[in-house]
Amino acid sequence: MTELTIAFTLNGERREIRVPAHATLLAVLRDELGAIEVKDGCGEGVCGTCTALLDGEPVSSCLLLASRAAGHEITTVRGLAPAGALSPLQEAFVAHGAAQCGFCTPGMILTAHAFLRRHPRPTRDDIRRAIAGNLCRCTGYTKIVDAIEAAGRG
């Protein structure tokens, strides 16, 4: 088995790790680095639960080889605010009851975070299109859209 040593920044902290060449970023984040906030959903890049930010852009970590993260900045939902604090978007999710079972929440928040940076005052339709790749099994989309809209209003 071929292994590689890769280095990247995870939530502001430089990490260097030896990984199998075929390892996905999801496997490395969860199994090697303990970033269990990145969820293992469909494994096919369809559900959005494994979303992480690669240099600020959402990626399906289940589809990305870990070696592609070398030299880049990876952000999980834990990296959006200092330890023990919540980002304004996370606070909006809490205030609007936008987390039901919570399985989709980290991916939803990261996708919404990246979206709001580019579209600070989106319409509800814009928000629905932006999160279309993130599935909520509880179908709590109304509260999720409410939270993202509120965070966009600031």
Side-chain angles (χ1 to χ4, degrees), residues 110-130:
L110 289 169
T111 298
H113 174 82
F115 171 72
L116 287 174
R117 277 198 338 257
R118 293 186 308 270
H119 305 91
R121 297 227 180 254
T123 66
R124 293 180 70 80
D125 286 341
D126 292 337
I127 294 168
R128 286 187 190 95
R129 278 191 293 277

Side-chain angles (χ1 to χ4, degrees), residues 54-73:
L54 174 71
D55 295 334
E57 295 299 320
V59 295
S60 295
S61 64
C62 69
L63 298 179
L64 188 72
L65 290 176
S67 60
R68 300 284 309 269
H72 294 277
E73 182 175 326

